[in-house]
Amino acid sequence: QVRLVESGGGLVQAGESLRLSCGVSKSVFGIRTMGWYRQPPGEEREPEQRELVASITSSGSAEYTDSVKGRFTVSRDNAKNTVYLQMNSLKPEDTAVYYCNMIYDLSSWERYLEVWGQGTLVTVSS
């Protein structure tokens, strides 16, 4: 079973930085897109209701939600099957549980599968 392992969350003050990391537990046939989503802490949501923060394709094309543009940077290391989210100039409204997401092919016939990480809490104090 493919799992995503996240790390890097924590408590910081407004204006500070954090870097989240997300690695894949086993080799897969191909990774299409990796991304970061978030939801307010303590709030239950279906995965499709989470807010997309940033995503990056296998070719390196990235997209961001408007509220983080210019502050967050998503990157990936294809050799390590790892995606990162560098978060600078953090604001209290960035406080959330951040979830890693991956769209991948497990084999040539098992394609466009999706998996989520367990979530990591980011708390930004004012």
Side-chain angles (χ1 to χ4, degrees):
Q1 185 177 1
V2 177
R3 294 187 299 112
L4 300 178
V5 181
E6 301 152 341
S7 62
L11 171 64
V12 296
Q13 293 188 331
E16 295 184 339
S17 299
L18 276 177
R19 189 176 85 152
L20 306 182
S21 300
C22 172
V24 185
S25 63
K26 59 181 286 187
S27 296
V28 297
F29 187 71
I31 296 175
R32 296 183 176 271
T33 302
M34 298 189 80
W36 293 94
Y37 290 71
R38 66 186 179 186
Q39 69 184 54
E43 189 172 310
E44 292 295 325
R45 291 187 182 182
E46 295 296 326
E48 59 270 21
Q49 296 175 314
R50 295 169 181 163
E51 177 190 21
L52 172 64
V53 178
S55 66
I56 186 167
T57 67
S58 57
S59 61
S61 177
E63 65 175 291
Y64 300 89
T65 190
D66 286 346
S67 62
V68 308
K69 287 179 180 177
R71 300 188 297 123
F72 291 11
T73 302
V74 62
S75 61
R76 60 190 281 178
D77 184 332
N78 290 331
K80 296 181 179 180
N81 286 344
T82 300
V83 65
Y84 305 96
L85 184 67
Q86 178 65 44
M87 304 184 293
N88 298 329
S89 302
L90 281 161
K91 303 176 180 180
E93 51 263 44
D94 295 318
T95 295
V97 179
Y98 286 73
Y99 293 88
C100 182
N101 172 274
M102 181 175 74
I103 307 297
Y104 68 103
D105 298 339
L106 189 59
S107 65
S108 59
W109 63 92
E110 297 171 282
R111 303 171 66 191
Y112 292 97
L113 304 179
E114 183 177 42
V115 63
W116 291 88
Q118 79 282 2
T120 185
L121 177 62
V122 173
T123 305
V124 185
S125 64
S126 58

